[in-house]
Amino acid sequence: MAVVITVNGLTKHYKTEAAVESLDFTLAKGEICALIGKNGAGKSTFFKMLSGQLQPTSGEIQLFGSSEPAETRSRIGFLIEEPPFFSDFTAQQNLEYFRIQRGVVEKSKITEVLEQAGLTNQARKKVREYSMGMKQRLGLALCLLASPDCLVLDEPTNGLDPEGINEIRQLLLELNQQKQVTILIASHILKELQLIATRYVFIHEGKLIETISQAELQEKCQKQLKLKVNRSDQAAQLLERNFPNIQYRCLPSGWISIQNHLESSAEINQLLVSNGVSISELRIEDLKLEDYFLQRIGES
């Protein structure tokens, strides 16, 4: 399979602080890869090095197999920070300026990308009158102007309402499935990433801690039994004593999650109650992407 982005040992230091540390990463053609991490994990720094806004301290970046990223970067549409639009220009005028600057021949591309971004009716409004969500849409339209083979998007749904988030999700899926556009995306709305990504990369404190496919995540995020009890320490002892191979975690506020023995939920309930442990809630639910990520970085 063709490779779009390859990163080897990528590192970025600010004085004594490492924003990104020895990062190895590969993005294959056709993927929708979600980069997941807390604020300050190094996601934006990584994206800025890919776009050429920051120079790495060490390491190598290859784009489309070339070790000279400047030559192939034009094939990627970047939405990392708010683009430098002219506030007194309309959306259409801004895109016309960037169309000429970037050597895009077809004037019809402006109408096309405005429609894709849901801005057709706002095309003649000046950018200074745009909300944050509308500016995000315009930034995405700018990304699409040169018909990129790959999109690198940092929080593309920032400022959008639920309807707008859904529209952007559908657009990204359409670009990927119908036009084979490869996508690398970061977002704090993990439930949205779980709806579109084919692979997940977890980054924490500048280091890549795991990469996992959609199928592998679905297998690991299988159903779990959740109990809310008044004495989690006593409940844990009872579970370990009666179910030697039980897989469980004690969570805050008296919650216990059990990953196996779901078929024994009634037996578990009876065991705890008969031994003086009060259960106020018991339910079976799917483990979410957010739960899995927090487990991986050791947080409840």
Side-chain angles (χ1 to χ4, degrees):
M1 182 176 291
V3 175
V4 176
I5 297 173
T6 303
V7 165
N8 294 309
L10 196 66
T11 299
K12 181 62 179 179
H13 288 170
Y14 294 103
K15 296 183 180 179
T16 58
E17 181 184 352
V20 172
E21 186 70 44
S22 300
L23 192 67
D24 294 328
F25 172 79
T26 301
L27 180 69
K29 179 177 173 57
E31 282 191 293
I32 301 180
C33 181
L35 186 66
I36 298 170
K38 296 168 61 179
N39 284 338
K43 304 186 302 295
S44 293
T45 300
F46 173 47
F47 283 173
K48 288 177 181 178
M49 286 190 285
L50 291 179
S51 69
Q53 295 179 42
L54 287 177
Q55 290 301 311
T57 303
S58 60
E60 181 187 29
I61 297 174
Q62 291 187 4
L63 303 180
F64 301 97
S66 171
S67 297
E68 299 294 335
E71 297 176 358
T72 50
R73 202 167 269 130
S74 62
R75 296 175 61 185
I76 300 178
F78 292 95
L79 179 58
I80 299 173
E81 294 178 328
E82 185 177 315
F85 291 119
F86 299 101
S87 61
D88 286 332
F89 282 17
T90 66
Q92 192 161 357
Q93 288 171 331
N94 268 284
L95 292 179
E96 176 64 14
Y97 168 81
F98 285 109
R99 181 189 71 80
I100 295 169
Q101 185 191 55
R102 298 181 180 186
V104 178
V105 177
E106 305 89 350
K107 286 189 175 183
S108 60
K109 282 296 294 184
I110 294 176
T111 302
E112 179 184 329
V113 298
L114 284 169
E115 182 178 355
Q116 287 178 314
L119 288 174
T120 300
N121 295 331
Q122 309 292 335
R124 299 187 183 279
K125 180 182 286 189
K126 291 187 177 181
V127 169
R128 67 164 179 258
E129 300 171 11
Y130 270 27
S131 65
M132 180 188 294
M134 290 169 66
K135 288 178 180 177
Q136 286 294 103
R137 289 176 180 273
L138 186 56
L140 187 56
L142 178 58
C143 282
L144 298 173
L145 192 60
S147 302
D149 297 309
C150 175
L151 293 174
V152 175
L153 310 172
D154 193 7
E155 302 291 342
T157 57
N158 193 22
L160 296 179
D161 59 19
E163 182 181 0
I165 292 172
N166 179 63
E167 289 173 356
I168 297 302
R169 184 207 316 145
Q170 296 304 321
L171 171 60
L172 295 181
L173 287 171
E174 178 183 320
L175 289 169
N176 176 258
Q177 295 169 4
Q178 297 182 15
K179 299 188 177 182
Q180 290 73 56
V181 176
T182 305
I183 299 171
L184 176 60
I185 181 172
S187 173
H188 285 99
I189 309 176
L190 300 193
K191 65 180 182 180
E192 282 297 317
L193 295 181
Q194 197 163 5
L195 292 173
I196 65 171
T198 58
R199 183 162 64 100
Y200 307 89
V201 172
F202 301 109
I203 184 171
H204 186 55
E205 296 179 347
K207 297 179 181 179
L208 191 152
I209 58 173
E210 184 178 16
T211 179
I212 184 171
S213 70
Q214 184 184 56
E216 290 170 331
L217 180 71
Q218 287 175 348
E219 184 177 338
K220 291 188 177 186
C221 289
Q222 52 192 292
K223 293 184 182 298
Q224 60 179 341
L225 175 65
K226 291 192 74 174
L227 308 161
K228 188 170 186 179
V229 299
N230 64 335
R231 295 192 58 186
S232 56
D233 54 346
Q234 183 183 349
Q237 291 175 9
L238 288 166
L239 291 171
E240 290 180 6
R241 193 178 305 138
N242 290 273
F243 299 91
N245 65 335
I246 196 163
Q247 300 172 15
Y248 75 95
R249 293 175 62 240
C250 289
L251 306 172
S253 304
W255 282 100
I256 296 177
S257 69
I258 301 173
Q259 283 72 54
N260 56 356
H261 292 291
L262 271 66
E263 72 285 353
S264 304
S265 59
E267 184 180 349
I268 290 171
N269 180 60
Q270 184 178 5
L271 169 70
L272 298 182
V273 171
S274 63
N275 283 275
V277 177
S278 175
I279 300 175
S280 56
E281 286 188 58
L282 184 152
R283 61 175 181 257
I284 294 177
E285 61 181 35
D286 291 320
L287 186 67
K288 306 294 191 298
L289 173 60
E290 182 175 3
D291 300 324
Y292 183 78
F293 167 64
L294 292 175
Q295 285 183 17
R296 290 295 291 115
I297 65 174
E299 294 188 7
S300 299

